[in-house]
Structures are given as structure tokens and as C-alpha cells.
């Protein structure tokens, strides 16, 4: 395996990708922007390199937010199909484009691999399903715990204490 170096400038990620994607969906704000930026850093930004697909035999996660296809499919089937968030469907499809869709016109999970705007938008939609409010935008510890509890889950390998620095970088960016 060849050595890989480099990554995305965190302020650029936050200001040029995540903020516009979330604002396009009208689900932005500093809490959401910092939480999604922190999720990107905790999930897909290891050792200064952005991972677009998790590596390993038991690694189905895709996109810079490392979302599991099962979670992605659940969002479309059980959340976006409900009347309340249905306005998001056409906006998400606009971000995703139409080249990588299933027979029902739903973007495939793999679309998150090459479309950072879509990955950021889907991460935010993931968090929209959670009934507990996002932590305050400047509380890196609470954000790291929230990420671990709801996004990474108890079965995930993330350790919330190890991700506090990532969330602090998301806040500072």
C-alpha cells in the first residue's frame, strides 16, 4: 500500500462544503454545522487523510461521514417518507444529482463517496431524526458524546474522549 498524505483544509470543509449544504436544506445553524463538521473529522478524517470508504472486510461505511448503508437506507425508508421532512427529499435529490439512483429515483448510498455536499446533507438528516437536541455549538465534549451516542453508537469503535479534539477543531474552524 502506498503512503498517502494530505487532506481537506478544515475551515474550507466547514465554510465551503458543510455550511452551504446545510443552509441549502434550511437545517443549518452553528450547532448543526459544528456537529456535522466534527462528525466528518471524527469519522472520515484519520491521520490527516480523508477516507471516502472505510477499509476492511467488515467495513460497509461510505462517504466522508462514514455512514453505514443500512442507516442511509433507513433514513430514506422510515424518515424521509414521512410527511414532516418530505420537503427535504427534492432538495437532497438536487444535491445528489440523477446519475447514481435506484429504480425509484433515490440516490444510492455510494453517492456520498464522491459528493461531499450530499454526504454532509445526509449526515445532517441523520441527526434530524434524533429527538434529543444538538449540543451547544461551543461544547466540544457534549458534541463528542452526542456523536458517539447517536451517530457512532455503542457498537462503533469511536471513543468519545478521543474525539473531543476533533470537535474542538470543528468549532474553531
Amino acid at each position: 500500500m502506498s503512503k498517502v498524505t494530505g487532506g481537506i483544509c478544515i475551515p474550507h470543509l466547514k465554510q465551503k462544503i458543510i455550511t452551504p449544504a446545510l443552509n441549502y436544506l434550511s437545517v443549518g445553524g452553528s450547532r448543526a454545522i459544528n456537529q456535522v463538521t466534527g462528525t466528518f473529522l471524527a469519522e472520515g478524517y484519520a491521520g490527516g487523510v480523508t477516507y471516502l470508504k472505510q477499509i476492511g472486510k467488515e467495513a460497509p461505511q461510505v462517504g466522508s461521514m462514514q455512514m453505514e448503508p443500512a442507516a442511509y437506507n433507513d433514513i430514506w425508508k422510515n424518515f424521509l417518507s414521512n410527511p414532516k421532512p418530505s420537503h427535504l427529499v427534492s432538495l437532497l435529490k438536487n444535491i445528489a444529482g440523477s446519475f447514481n439512483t435506484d429504480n425509484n429515483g433515490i440516490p444510492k448510498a455510494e453517492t456520498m463517496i464522491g459528493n461531499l455536499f450530499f454526504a454532509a446533507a445526509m449526515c445532517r438528516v441523520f441527526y434530524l431524526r434524533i429527538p434529543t437536541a444538538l449540543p451547544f455549538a461551543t461544547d466540544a465534549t457534549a458534541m463528542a458524546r452526542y456523536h458517539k451516542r447517536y451517530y457512532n453508537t455503542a457498537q462503533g469503535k469511536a471513543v468519545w474522549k478521543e474525539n473531543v479534539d476533533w470537535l474542538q477543531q470543528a468549532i474553531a474552524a
Side-chain angles (χ1 to χ4, degrees):
M1 185 165 126
S2 62
K3 183 178 178 181
V4 180
T5 59
I8 297 173
C9 173
I10 297 170
H12 288 180
L13 169 73
K14 183 176 176 179
Q15 297 161 14
K16 307 294 184 191
I17 303 291
I18 293 172
T19 298
L22 274 55
N23 286 346
Y24 177 72
L25 297 178
S26 297
V27 292
S30 58
R31 288 180 182 205
I33 291 166
N34 288 348
Q35 189 71 49
V36 172
T37 303
T39 300
F40 171 94
L41 297 173
E43 290 287 335
Y45 197 71
V49 177
T50 302
Y51 286 85
L52 299 177
K53 182 173 185 332
Q54 193 172 52
I55 299 170
K57 291 181 181 178
E58 297 177 21
Q61 296 86 337
V62 296
S64 55
M65 305 297 175
Q66 297 293 291
M67 187 179 292
E68 292 188 9
Y72 175 88
N73 292 332
D74 183 67
I75 289 169
W76 283 94
K77 180 179 178 184
N78 296 311
F79 182 70
L80 292 172
S81 62
N82 293 321
K84 189 173 181 180
S86 64
H87 68 284
L88 294 173
V89 172
S90 63
L91 297 173
L92 288 166
K93 288 180 178 182
N94 283 343
I95 294 173
S98 59
F99 76 96
N100 194 25
T101 60
D102 65 15
N103 292 335
N104 297 315
I106 304 295
K108 293 180 183 176
E110 294 79 22
T111 304
M112 293 185 292
I113 292 172
N115 187 329
L116 294 176
F117 291 105
F118 186 60
M122 288 305 301
C123 179
R124 178 62 180 117
V125 172
F126 181 100
Y127 283 124
L128 284 175
R129 302 178 313 157
I130 309 303
T132 304
L134 291 169
F136 288 113
T138 57
D139 189 342
T141 299
M143 291 169 61
R145 287 180 180 196
Y146 192 92
H147 161 263
K148 175 59 184 170
R149 181 172 183 187
Y150 297 111
Y151 197 91
N152 188 263
T153 74
Q155 294 77 33
K157 293 182 181 179
V159 177
W160 75 265
K161 289 180 183 179
E162 294 174 5
N163 287 331
V164 172
D165 183 57
W166 288 124
L167 277 294
Q168 190 58 52
Q169 289 183 55
I171 293 165

